[in-house]
């Protein structure tokens, strides 16, 4: 069976690495000349909306999935006339629009931030008066890794943010004074079987994920996170992996956003879970039984951002797993990640802190 993947980035690359042992083949569609997945499978180099390329992908693949949620839904709809597309298009469309996403959370009784849609200065002023300062102004679409948003603490900040972002539809929401950030990753099969991984404890810097530790949290928090992600998956009759990111505030989960795909905070599952998120996503979309999502010990995942450290120096650390995405270095770009797995939670935490301090001493770990 050939799986088509729209997007040939590191997530697509890791899906292919997980799929080859299952006997799957892959075909990618991506406009980049040197995409990370190109070392592993053929790439149709073309725009995501190119009719001819989409036709080729649909005719050669039994199922098509994505490695990036901001792909044109209309392009995926055209693909769906020739082959199966997973995850379902309504879930992808909801994740592409922050207002639709907030309304979904509210409909499913998932606590989220107070928010207002904003399309002009008057509405921004009204939203600030209603919700208050500080707050965050975000583009409704195409925001990721901290892009397309601005923190507002004063009226002057609001003016600057409007100048920066006001050309497109926006959302204003309260700035949550959270204790920490977590994410939950679930997977649902074509037959409706659901599995959920343990909570991930995430540390961001400049809007980019730098460190994930798992499993995290009390049985109560894990149970609530599971209920939320299963509710979203059942709502869409979802097929594949879905992630929800939360703020934790006073022991409560506050939903921030969702991603209808495999997720950076789940990279630890490659070595740290019985079945990785990448393998389970593929199992789900091709119709295989889902794998066990239990953690094997305690894991820490560190993103390598902007520059790649020397391999020899990294691999001197016992038990360290290196994933190089074969990308050209660039400030703020995710170039790879490291994973540690330990039987003891305290040892895993100490090793992760020392390693991150070596690689990115500017980052403070609470």
């Amino acid at each position: 069976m050939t799986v088509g993947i729209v997007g040939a980035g590191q997530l697509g690359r890791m899906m292919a690495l997980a799929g080859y042992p299952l006997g799957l083949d892959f075909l990618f569609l991506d406009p980049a000349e040197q995409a990370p997945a190109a070392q592993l499978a053929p790439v149709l180099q073309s725009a995501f909306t190119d009719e001819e390329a989409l036709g080729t992908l649909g005719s050669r693949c039994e199922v098509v999935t994505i490695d990036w949620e901001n792909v044109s839904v209309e392009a995926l709809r055209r693909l769906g006339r020739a082959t199966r597309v997973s995850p379902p298009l309504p879930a992808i469309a909801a994740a592409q629009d922050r207002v639709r996403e907030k309304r979904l959370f509210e409909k499913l009784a998932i606590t989220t931030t107070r928010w207002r849609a904003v399309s002009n200065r008057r509405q921004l002023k009204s939203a600030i008066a209603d919700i208050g300062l500080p707050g965050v102004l975000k583009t409704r679409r195409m925001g990721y890794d901290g892009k397309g948003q601005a923190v507002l603490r004063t009226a002057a900040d609001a003016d600057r943010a409007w100048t920066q972002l006001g050309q497109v539809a926006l959302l204003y929401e309260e700035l949550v004074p959270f204790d920490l950030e977590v994410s939950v990753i679930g997977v649902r099969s074509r037959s409706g079987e659901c599995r959920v991984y343990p909570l991930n404890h995430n540390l961001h810097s400049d809007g980019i994920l730098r460190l994930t530790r798992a499993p995290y949290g009390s049985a109560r928090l894990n149970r609530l996170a599971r209920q939320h992600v299963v509710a979203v998956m059942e709502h869409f009759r979802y097929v594949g992996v879905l992630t929800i990111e939360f703020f934790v505030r006073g022991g409560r989960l506050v939903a921030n956003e969702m991603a209808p795909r495999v997720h950076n905070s789940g990279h630890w599952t490659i070595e740290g879970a019985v079945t990785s998120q990448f393998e389970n996503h593929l199992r789900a979309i091709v119709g295989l039984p889902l794998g066990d999502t239990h953690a094997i010990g305690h894991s820490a995942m560190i993103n390598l951002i902007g520059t790649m450290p020397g391999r020899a120096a990294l691999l001197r650390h016992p038990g360290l797993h290196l994933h190089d995405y074969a990308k050209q270095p660039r400030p703020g770009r995710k170039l790879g990640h490291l994973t540690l797995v330990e039987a003891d939670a305290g040892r895993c935490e100490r090793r992760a802190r020392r390693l991150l301090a070596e690689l990115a001493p500017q980052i403070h770990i609470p």
Side-chain angles (χ1 to χ4, degrees):
M1 177 181 287
T2 300
V3 176
I5 302 181
V6 181
Q10 66 263 23
L11 299 180
R13 176 188 176 95
M14 285 183 271
M15 276 190 266
L17 288 169
Y20 284 131
L22 300 178
L24 301 175
D25 292 319
F26 295 87
L27 178 63
F28 290 89
L29 172 64
D30 198 289
E33 291 185 8
Q34 294 181 315
Q39 294 179 335
L40 301 175
V43 178
L44 302 172
Q45 188 185 343
S46 179
F48 292 134
T49 54
D50 182 83
E51 292 278 357
E52 184 178 352
L54 289 167
T56 300
L57 191 70
S59 66
R60 291 174 56 182
C61 301
E62 285 82 355
V63 62
V64 173
T65 190
I66 60 173
D67 88 335
W68 186 54
E69 67 267 35
N70 286 312
V71 175
S72 163
V73 170
E74 183 52 41
L76 295 175
R77 186 172 288 112
R78 293 198 297 272
L79 257 178
R81 299 178 191 139
T83 188
R84 286 189 297 107
V85 177
S86 293
L89 300 191
I92 297 171
Q96 289 180 354
D97 184 334
R98 295 184 191 277
V99 168
R100 292 180 66 173
E101 189 176 62
K102 293 291 188 186
R103 288 174 178 156
L104 172 70
F105 291 150
E106 291 176 344
K107 179 178 181 178
L108 298 178
I110 299 172
T111 301
T112 189
T113 56
R114 292 182 299 131
W115 63 277
R116 294 290 181 274
V118 171
S119 57
N120 54 53
R121 282 181 179 268
R122 178 182 57 79
Q123 289 181 349
L124 176 57
K125 183 177 180 180
S126 176
I128 292 173
D130 187 22
I131 294 172
L133 292 168
V136 185
L137 188 65
K138 298 180 176 180
T139 57
R140 281 182 61 164
R141 302 176 66 87
M142 297 298 290
Y144 62 97
D145 285 348
K147 298 178 177 66
Q149 57 184 270
V151 175
L152 279 55
R153 300 186 186 277
T154 66
D157 290 338
D159 290 337
R160 282 191 293 269
W162 180 262
T163 300
Q164 176 188 350
L165 302 173
Q167 297 82 11
V168 296
L170 302 169
L171 173 144
Y172 181 75
E173 64 181 340
E174 65 180 320
L175 181 66
V176 177
F178 57 84
D179 303 318
L180 51 97
E181 297 173 271
V182 299
S183 58
V184 65
I185 297 172
V187 58
R188 186 177 184 273
S189 72
R190 288 166 60 187
S191 67
E193 177 188 8
C194 292
R195 298 284 182 97
V196 179
Y197 290 90
L199 271 175
N200 312 302
H201 178 189
N202 303 319
L203 174 68
H204 291 79
S205 176
D206 297 325
I208 301 175
L209 180 65
R210 297 306 302 252
L211 172 65
T212 292
R213 293 95 107 192
Y216 171 79
S218 66
R220 182 187 65 82
L221 271 189
N222 273 269
R223 185 168 57 252
L224 184 58
R226 175 188 173 82
Q227 290 171 0
H228 290 337
V229 74
V230 169
V232 174
M233 292 192 295
E234 293 292 357
H235 173 79
F236 288 115
R237 298 178 63 85
Y238 198 85
V239 178
V241 160
L242 179 119
T243 306
I244 304 179
E245 298 180 61
F246 299 94
F247 303 120
V248 178
R249 182 180 183 184
R252 296 170 54 245
L253 293 178
V254 179
N256 179 29
E257 59 188 27
M258 70 179 193
R261 55 169 171 79
V262 290
H263 196 259
N264 193 176
S265 67
H267 290 356
W268 66 271
T269 64
I270 298 173
E271 290 87 19
V274 177
T275 312
S276 78
Q277 64 165 345
F278 301 99
E279 181 177 334
N280 257 338
H281 181 74
L282 294 170
R283 287 189 184 209
I285 68 174
V286 304
L288 295 172
L290 298 183
D292 192 334
T293 53
H294 283 90
I296 302 170
H298 299 268
S299 297
M301 187 282 301
I302 296 172
N303 272 331
L304 301 173
I305 309 295
T307 59
M308 280 294 293
R311 290 189 186 127
L314 289 174
L315 294 176
R316 288 193 184 97
H317 293 268
L320 182 142
H321 303 274
L322 169 63
H323 295 259
D324 186 331
Y325 304 155
K327 285 182 170 183
Q328 292 299 312
R330 191 173 68 211
R333 196 179 199 192
K334 295 173 182 173
L335 303 179
H337 74 266
L338 310 171
T339 306
L340 296 166
V341 182
E342 295 283 353
D344 179 75
R347 175 174 167 79
C348 185
E349 179 72 11
R350 290 189 296 273
R351 291 193 66 195
R353 284 173 174 268
R354 286 197 298 267
L355 193 54
L356 187 59
E358 290 177 20
L359 297 169
Q362 76 280 7
I363 295 175
H364 169 67
I365 307 176

